Amino acid sequence: MNIETFWSLVTVENTTPSEVNAVLKSRLDSLSNEDLQAFDELYSRQLKQLWDWSCWGAAYVMCGCNSEYDYLDFCNWVISKGKDVYDSFKNTPDSIASLSDVPLKDELPYPYIDEMDLVAGLLYEEKNQDELVHFNVVNVPVTGKKFKNNKKALKGTYPNLFDKYWFKA
């Protein structure tokens, strides 16, 4: 499994967040055990690269993301958007503001996909009655300098996200 194959499998377009895991599972179903394991390792590597305060700050401004598990689900959503969105977000977190297809819940941004990071491991277990070693990113320290949680700092760091999503009270 190479990185290009990984991105072709994990990029899920034109579907709702609730359908992404089923689509991904159907794509992974024909993979060998070795490829499932390689996919899972590549997925974990992509998650770890997003486990950074500058990216988390963008998620906080966009949708109030304030727990490790919410941020993990946000990262799953970013990964599902594909390599270009992922790379842009990783390098310039404020760039995520340019997306127009952000899911909503109760008319608020809800860019989360629950348990997408578990799909390959669960499929492997289903096929083999054995578990893959699971990398849990929430147990890894967040890298970088923690974002400042005040309006002025957030607006200065994430101007596009702030203008698009921040509550204007």
Side-chain angles (χ1 to χ4, degrees):
M1 164 98 31
N2 61 37
I3 194 69
E4 291 81 21
T5 302
F6 167 83
W7 282 113
S8 70
L9 291 167
V10 79
T11 304
V12 181
E13 299 175 315
N14 303 319
T15 189
T16 64
S18 63
E19 299 168 327
V20 169
N21 289 350
V23 170
L24 180 59
K25 182 180 179 183
S26 71
R27 290 178 181 177
L28 299 179
D29 193 45
S30 63
L31 295 182
S32 68
N33 289 335
E34 294 78 22
D35 281 342
L36 272 176
Q37 184 173 7
F39 176 90
D40 194 57
E41 289 171 6
L42 286 168
Y43 198 101
S44 295
R45 192 174 308 146
Q46 305 319 304
L47 279 176
K48 190 173 181 183
Q49 290 181 25
L50 293 180
W51 213 248
D52 183 87
W53 284 118
S54 63
C55 293
W56 193 332
Y60 177 79
V61 172
M62 182 178 190
C63 52
C65 193
N66 62 5
S67 77
E68 291 90 350
Y69 291 100
D70 284 348
Y71 185 59
L72 172 60
D73 293 347
F74 178 87
C75 291
N76 286 336
W77 175 76
V78 170
I79 290 170
S80 79
K81 304 304 288 175
K83 184 178 182 353
D84 292 341
V85 170
Y86 171 89
D87 285 341
S88 182
F89 177 69
K90 183 177 69 167
N91 296 322
T92 311
D94 195 42
S95 68
I96 203 86
S98 66
L99 293 183
S100 59
D101 61 344
V102 175
L104 300 175
K105 182 176 181 180
D106 299 326
E107 299 182 36
L108 296 171
Y110 198 77
Y112 301 109
I113 299 178
D114 186 37
E115 298 187 347
M116 185 177 169
D117 55 305
L118 303 177
V119 171
L122 291 171
L123 179 59
Y124 183 92
E125 185 176 344
E126 184 180 303
K127 288 179 163 191
N128 299 288
Q129 286 67 53
D130 193 16
E131 294 181 7
L132 283 177
V133 176
H134 179 66
F135 169 78
N136 193 345
V137 73
V138 299
N139 295 328
V140 174
V142 182
T143 60
K145 184 178 178 185
K146 189 170 184 178
F147 61 92
K148 292 183 180 177
N149 182 5
N150 66 60
K151 281 177 111 172
K152 184 177 179 181
L154 293 172
K155 184 174 185 169
T157 306
Y158 309 102
N160 297 316
L161 284 166
F162 192 90
D163 288 345
K164 188 171 183 178
Y165 293 107
W166 196 259
F167 294 103
K168 312 254 189 306

